[in-house]
Amino acid sequence: MAGIVGYGSYIPRYRIKVEEIAKVWGTDAESYKKGLMLQEKSVPAPDQDVITMSVEAARRALSRAQIHPQKIGAVYVGSESHPYAVKPSGTVVAEAIGATPEVHCADFEFACKAGTEAMFVAYGLVCSGKIQYGLAIAADTSQGAPGDALEFSAAAGAAAYILGTENVAVEIEDTYSFCTDTPDFWRREYQHYPEHGGRFTGEPAYFHHTLSSAQGIMKRSGTKPEDFKYAIFHQPNGKFPMLAAQKLGFKREQWEDGRLSPTLGNTYSGASPMGLSAVLDKAAPGDLILLVSFGSGAGSDGFILRTTDRIKDIQGKAPKTKQQLDCAKRYLDYGTYAKFRGKILKAD
Amino acid sequence: MREVAVIGIGMTKWGECWQKSLRDLFVEASLRAMDDAGLSQIESLYVGCMSGGLFNGQEHVGPLMADYLGAGPIPAVRVESACASGGVAFRQAYMEVASGMSDIVLAGGVEKMTDVDGSEATYALGTAADQEYESFHGITFPGLYALIAKVYMKKYGITNQDLASVAVKNHAHGVKNPNAQFQRAITVEEVLQSSMVADPLHLLDCSPITDGAAAVILCPMEKAKSLSKKKPVKILGSGHATDSIALHDRKQLEVFASATIAAKKAFSQAKIGIESVNLVEVHDCFSIAEICALESMGFFAPGQAGKAASQGLTALGGKLPVNVSGGLKSKGHPVGATGIAQIIELVEQLRGEAGQRQVANARIGLAQNMGGTAASSVVHILEAC
Amino acid sequence: MFPAKIWREFPQRYRLEAAKCKKCGKVFFPPRLVCNACSHREFEEIKLPWEGTLVSYTIIRTPPSAFSDQAPYAVGIIETIPGLQITCQIVDADLDKLHIGQKLLLEFRLIQKDGKQGVLCYGYKAVPIDAHNS
């Protein structure tokens, strides 16, 4: 059965606390901490972007997969913050890991769903036998406008998955997709920061699609919440994935390991794939895992995965996600953060 | 090979010469050198200039200077070897006269560095390093010499005060040089309190951005007396050597192998020993550079030059006066002109015309000029006649 | 910056590809056409490891134009394999805790941006070894 052969994640070392942002804009930090369950978020260094984090995550996935990069037949990068508007991120990644030139390469964009979209397509190609291995990367360095609610959550991180049919560490048992046209969040061409529909992003967008996708894949596969050891949901903040899990009937111990957002923030395309990487870091052979992404606009991809005996062999071959999340953090003041994120610019 | 003498010297006042252009500076220095020699015509021209292109948007500097010097259709060429451009231009002129090809050759140097702002100047100077594997990563020249300083300080246990003493000593010399950019004394405390440029190098450990030009006239020794009334100064030896362009390709960062080899060649040609040298002009683009250059040429054993300035050994009146002109540090460092100005200092000293800076009984002087992190070194030994 | 100028360096900047002399074994980064130790002209491609030891370092506080918004930043010389040193920035580090002999990892980072419109120049930078990456 096809599935994940290797995986890797990358989180920048820099962080900013919710209080630090709230202090500047006169907002109530507690409403974000309690209401949205956000404490702090990762911040990319000025020399980090979707491409650099994707390369690092991909190199870690390769360390775990232990395959020759020339055997990778597809490199897909899903993000809503590709450094170039025109010119693929994927070619840089493919070149950097040594997968070029006989490789199919594409960048995906579907708000926060671009990452699982890349996984979905790579998985399909691997299943069809068109390629031996496919590399799917989910990465973002998203931005919230200064003072906007999104500024408290928009974070940076990447997760990479190598899919294949040999030496599989995590079998993919089923996939599902649920999609409608729901304009809850968008960014027009040439605009720096996204716009959103406020509370419209909740019930009709996030919850409707996420819950429908989760229910759809469970129905199709004949599974129930109690069958899963772990469930991971898209996590724009700390609260939404918890509510989604609760509505579906999942217990805290099933979803808390895959919910990184309280201290990571929202890594957009990277969010649920990074949650999966944290779960894989500690999963035992035979664990059943539900992965449900969400992308504004709107849609949700569902995956049912099951770890094999090989998971134990590869967990230690690259830095673990929680370790990156919890250790060697470097806190920023708002001024430095604003400089790092290009919100303020040095005069020419 | 013919013996060659320097019969004319001339330089501009160095500093921020806002009203003077690249060509103004060079022609002014050249005319002074020709006047000093008492000559109105030259046969050939070498112009040391590192980056007329990046500093002034001007390449093809050779004919420009020949034209504005009114020298007629003589051969004229720019010589580029980064900060060693002047020293190498001098060597080219020396070889042309020595070979018998020409009798009267002008070797000059010029750099007009204040037509760009500080970060652009830093970029232009950085092109002397490996552009793709050093400069690409954001290292600057102060940065490269700081890498050398860090290693030297750890290896030999010298302090920031010892480094600063080199700058203090050279400023003390520069006070006595009317052409110097900074004719003022500084203290160790001032050096250590000046802003950090690239740790451990402070602003006052670094040579400045300077506009300036310098020129000398060379002729065959046998014709020196008939061509000029000036007391000739003989070129005893000339050595030129190169090393890896990138500092990281060196086994020992603090050893300037190009200076070692260039000095060895110059001494071998001069047929004199190192103990015969009465004064030295070395390329102190940074305080650490003077220390490493002196050791690399054999004036001090490894690790011994680090405290030489602190101990007063290299000051005017000390055991071996080093950079009595004020060095690049105080006199200024218009990069293409520096190597020529070093020669001018030796000539003034060997003629006995250095005034307050005069080294007593100076008979033999050595000048060491280098480019990059000593990827180029050129050494000349001159003798009073 | 014209793209070809950075493009031809990708094998080195992206993958640390070096050349090992087939006769004397000396390693060159970037690769050369002729060995400077034995004059041999045939090389075997090898990849440098993404790790090394700090040989020397400095903190640039007066940067060149392309790096003006990055200062202060650390640059070091790093020995990757015995006798093979490279120059690059050291990031994500406490500048006052760097020390000669420190072990470092190399990461893929953005090195330069050619203004707001030009190509993005990626390559290697060093980072400390800590719980984040080991």
Side-chain angles (χ1 to χ4, degrees):
Chain A
M1 189 181 282
I4 297 163
V5 180
Y7 68 96
S9 66
Y10 186 89
I11 302 174
R13 285 183 175 78
Y14 288 101
R15 300 284 185 279
I16 189 165
K17 286 182 183 292
V18 160
E19 289 90 337
E20 181 68 20
I21 301 172
K23 186 174 77 184
V24 173
W25 300 113
T27 34
D28 176 21
E30 286 305 307
S31 71
Y32 286 94
K33 293 182 82 170
K34 289 210 176 102
L36 291 176
M37 299 178 171
L38 288 169
Q39 290 160 34
E40 60 190 45
K41 66 169 190 171
S42 66
V43 180
D47 58 358
Q48 292 183 308
D49 60 22
V50 161
I51 289 174
T52 66
M53 293 191 307
S54 294
V55 169
E56 287 301 321
R59 283 155 41 88
R60 291 168 178 186
L62 272 168
S63 298
R64 287 199 173 99
Q66 297 196 294
I67 59 162
H68 196 282
Q70 283 287 314
K71 290 183 174 172
I72 294 173
V75 172
Y76 298 137
V77 181
S79 176
E80 62 118 64
S81 50
H82 292 288
Y84 287 100
V86 176
K87 198 222 159 288
S89 301
T91 53
V92 185
V93 178
E95 193 77 45
I97 63 166
T100 52
E102 289 187 329
V103 61
H104 188 246
C105 194
D107 286 1
F108 286 80
E109 193 281 312
F110 191 144
C112 298
K113 191 174 85 73
T116 55
E117 210 169 33
M119 293 167 69
F120 204 103
V121 175
Y123 169 69
L125 282 171
V126 166
C127 288
S128 75
K130 281 279 184 195
I131 58 172
Q132 190 177 359
Y133 295 104
L135 169 63
I137 301 169
D140 256 313
T141 56
S142 300
Q143 289 259 42
D148 186 90
L150 287 178
E151 192 181 25
F152 291 87
S153 60
Y161 292 92
I162 295 172
L163 300 142
T165 51
E166 293 161 37
N167 290 321
V168 169
V170 188
E171 292 177 339
I172 295 179
E173 295 195 344
D174 210 348
T175 62
Y176 183 82
S177 214
F178 184 91
C179 185
T180 71
D181 185 26
T182 306
D184 59 317
F185 170 101
W186 62 93
R187 179 164 62 84
R188 293 267 300 275
E189 186 86 307
Y190 309 120
Q191 294 302 300
H192 194 57
Y193 298 112
E195 300 288 325
H196 56 84
R199 290 183 60 78
F200 182 62
T201 58
E203 214 49 58
Y206 176 84
F207 290 104
H208 175 56
H209 292 81
T210 302
L211 300 183
S212 300
S213 176
Q215 286 156 348
I217 195 168
M218 284 192 283
K219 186 179 173 193
R220 198 166 81 180
S221 61
T223 52
K224 300 181 296 298
E226 52 269 34
D227 297 334
F228 294 93
K229 172 83 182 192
Y230 300 103
I232 303 120
F233 300 93
H234 175 58
Q235 36 205 286
N237 50 51
K239 191 177 182 183
F240 279 24
M242 181 184 79
L243 291 180
Q246 287 171 346
K247 284 181 187 190
L248 288 163
F250 288 95
K251 296 194 174 69
R252 175 172 283 271
E253 58 267 28
Q254 290 172 289
W255 54 261
E256 71 180 352
D257 288 315
R259 188 189 65 153
L260 308 175
S261 47
T263 52
L264 176 60
N266 180 6
T267 55
Y268 285 58
S269 304
S272 55
M274 291 182 75
L276 175 62
S277 74
V279 161
L280 294 183
D281 281 338
K282 66 180 300 186
D287 285 345
L288 195 64
I289 301 165
L290 175 68
L291 169 69
V292 184
S293 68
F294 170 72
S296 288
S300 171
D301 294 330
F303 293 76
I304 291 175
L305 310 100
R306 190 187 294 276
T307 48
T308 70
D309 289 345
R310 191 166 172 269
I311 192 70
K312 285 283 146 203
D313 302 336
I314 71 172
Q315 282 166 335
K317 291 191 188 299
K320 292 182 175 176
T321 301
K322 275 287 274 178
Q323 187 184 326
Q324 297 177 63
L325 186 60
D326 298 340
C327 303
K329 296 188 276 194
R330 305 176 66 81
Y331 286 97
L332 297 171
D333 57 71
Y334 192 88
T336 310
Y337 158 79
K339 175 187 162 184
F340 274 24
R341 299 305 288 129
K343 292 169 191 275
I344 51 170
L345 299 174
K346 191 174 188 198
D348 286 334
Chain B
M1 251 183 34
R2 300 193 289 185
E3 289 193 318
V4 178
V6 179
I7 53 167
I9 56 174
M11 66 185 280
T12 64
K13 161 82 179 158
W14 284 7
E16 291 173 315
C17 306
W18 303 114
Q19 293 200 317
K20 289 176 185 167
S21 68
L22 182 71
R23 68 188 77 176
D24 293 340
L25 290 166
F26 188 85
V27 172
E28 186 181 319
S30 299
L31 290 175
R32 283 184 186 169
M34 290 165 73
D35 290 349
D36 182 59
L39 293 170
S40 59
Q41 188 52 273
I42 55 173
E43 292 169 38
S44 177
L45 171 63
Y46 290 90
V47 186
C49 179
M50 176 184 163
S51 196
L54 288 173
F55 286 119
N56 320 101
Q58 179 69 61
E59 307 287 13
H60 214 180
V61 170
L64 169 72
M65 298 313 178
D67 180 9
Y68 273 73
L69 194 54
I74 61 166
V77 66
R78 167 183 152 202
V79 176
E80 190 277 306
S81 205
C83 302
S85 298
V88 177
F90 180 75
R91 184 175 149 87
Q92 295 303 115
Y94 165 59
M95 293 193 292
E96 181 166 334
V97 175
S99 73
M101 185 78 82
S102 303
D103 279 347
I104 303 171
V105 178
L106 188 147
V110 62
E111 214 74 53
K112 170 76 194 167
M113 302 170 73
T114 59
D115 279 354
V116 296
D117 72 21
S119 66
E120 285 177 78
T122 301
Y123 168 77
L125 293 169
T127 60
D130 184 326
Q131 187 65 15
E132 305 299 346
Y133 290 90
E134 291 183 312
S135 309
F136 175 78
H137 294 281
I139 190 81
T140 59
F141 262 92
L144 287 162
Y145 277 92
L147 295 174
I148 295 168
K150 207 89 175 180
V151 164
Y152 187 98
M153 291 170 85
K154 183 163 198 275
K155 189 165 179 182
Y156 297 117
I158 68 160
T159 62
N160 286 311
Q161 282 80 357
D162 292 324
L163 278 183
S165 298
V166 175
V168 170
K169 182 256 300 176
N170 289 347
H171 269 260
H173 293 161
V175 167
K176 302 181 167 77
N177 186 346
N179 287 322
Q181 181 169 8
F182 299 120
Q183 278 178 266
R184 68 179 175 91
I186 57 170
T187 63
V188 168
E189 289 68 37
E190 282 177 80
V191 177
L192 298 183
Q193 281 164 16
S194 64
S195 59
M196 193 69 95
V197 172
D199 313 36
L201 300 181
H202 292 266
L203 182 66
L204 291 179
D205 281 302
C206 307
S207 55
I209 299 285
T210 311
D211 300 329
V216 297
I217 312 279
L218 295 84
C219 79
M221 194 64 215
E222 71 223 23
K223 296 187 183 175
K225 293 251 160 68
S226 60
L227 284 169
S228 172
K229 289 187 186 116
K230 278 282 154 73
K231 198 170 148 188
V233 169
K234 192 163 100 179
I235 302 170
L236 275 191
S238 172
H240 182 190
T242 57
D243 198 353
S244 68
I245 187 78
L247 181 64
H248 59 232
D249 282 332
R250 318 259 175 89
K251 281 199 179 73
Q252 289 177 286
L253 305 187
E254 76 284 8
V255 175
F256 299 161
S258 65
T260 307
I261 298 164
K264 201 174 163 192
K265 284 181 177 172
F267 278 113
S268 157
Q269 185 190 352
K271 297 190 175 65
I272 59 161
I274 199 164
E275 67 290 345
S276 310
V277 175
N278 305 121
L279 77 148
V280 184
E281 287 285 301
V282 301
H283 195 96
D284 61 322
C285 45
F286 303 94
S287 46
I288 184 66
E290 176 171 312
I291 292 167
C292 298
L294 287 172
E295 290 180 7
S296 299
M297 289 190 290
F299 287 103
F300 289 87
Q304 297 302 305
K307 288 188 178 294
S310 308
Q311 293 164 344
L313 301 176
T314 47
L316 182 60
K319 192 173 152 223
L320 178 72
V322 176
N323 285 329
V324 287
S325 67
L328 284 56
K329 179 68 209 70
S330 150
K331 187 176 52 188
H333 184 27
V335 285
T338 284
I340 300 293
Q342 291 180 326
I343 300 292
I344 290 176
E345 181 65 21
L346 295 187
V347 170
E348 286 193 355
Q349 292 282 349
L350 300 177
R351 280 177 179 176
E353 295 174 356
Q356 288 184 294
R357 312 192 302 286
Q358 186 63 50
V359 174
N361 306 316
R363 294 286 306 160
I364 290 175
L366 178 145
Q368 179 264 348
N369 180 208
M370 62 188 174
T373 43
S376 289
S377 267
V378 54
V379 172
H380 285 99
I381 301 171
L382 273 61
E383 183 185 34
C385 293
Chain C
M1 194 179 297
F2 196 71
K5 184 172 186 286
I6 59 161
W7 170 76
R8 69 177 71 92
E9 307 295 334
F10 285 171
Q12 282 69 53
R13 301 244 171 93
Y14 287 14
R15 298 189 298 272
L16 296 178
E17 283 182 13
K20 185 176 184 179
C21 175
K22 282 190 176 172
K23 193 172 167 198
C24 76
K26 188 167 177 184
V27 178
F28 296 94
F29 181 83
R32 298 182 177 205
L33 296 177
V34 57
C35 176
N36 70 5
C38 73
S39 299
H40 196 66
R41 298 187 188 184
E42 286 176 304
F43 296 88
E44 167 198 354
E45 182 194 303
I46 65 161
K47 289 190 175 71
L48 300 180
W50 287 72
E51 62 190 13
T53 307
L54 192 57
V55 173
S56 189
Y57 67 95
T58 183
I59 299 157
I60 304 291
R61 299 173 193 275
T62 309
S65 31
F67 294 83
S68 63
D69 58 352
Q70 294 187 29
Y73 56 89
V75 181
I77 290 181
I78 292 153
E79 187 174 56
T80 55
I81 56 173
L84 196 291
Q85 302 178 147
I86 61 170
T87 299
C88 68
Q89 283 192 34
I90 307 154
V91 292
D92 290 8
D94 291 328
L95 297 181
D96 55 354
K97 287 189 186 142
L98 294 172
H99 57 272
I100 291 173
Q102 185 176 357
K103 301 283 180 201
L104 298 164
L105 291 183
L106 298 180
E107 268 193 18
F108 193 78
R109 297 279 179 133
L110 184 63
I111 312 292
Q112 290 188 39
K113 279 184 198 174
D114 183 17
K116 282 184 181 161
Q117 290 159 2
V119 286
L120 300 172
C121 309
Y122 295 96
Y124 46 86
K125 287 187 186 180
V127 295
I129 298 178
D130 54 25
H132 187 271
N133 55 18
S134 57

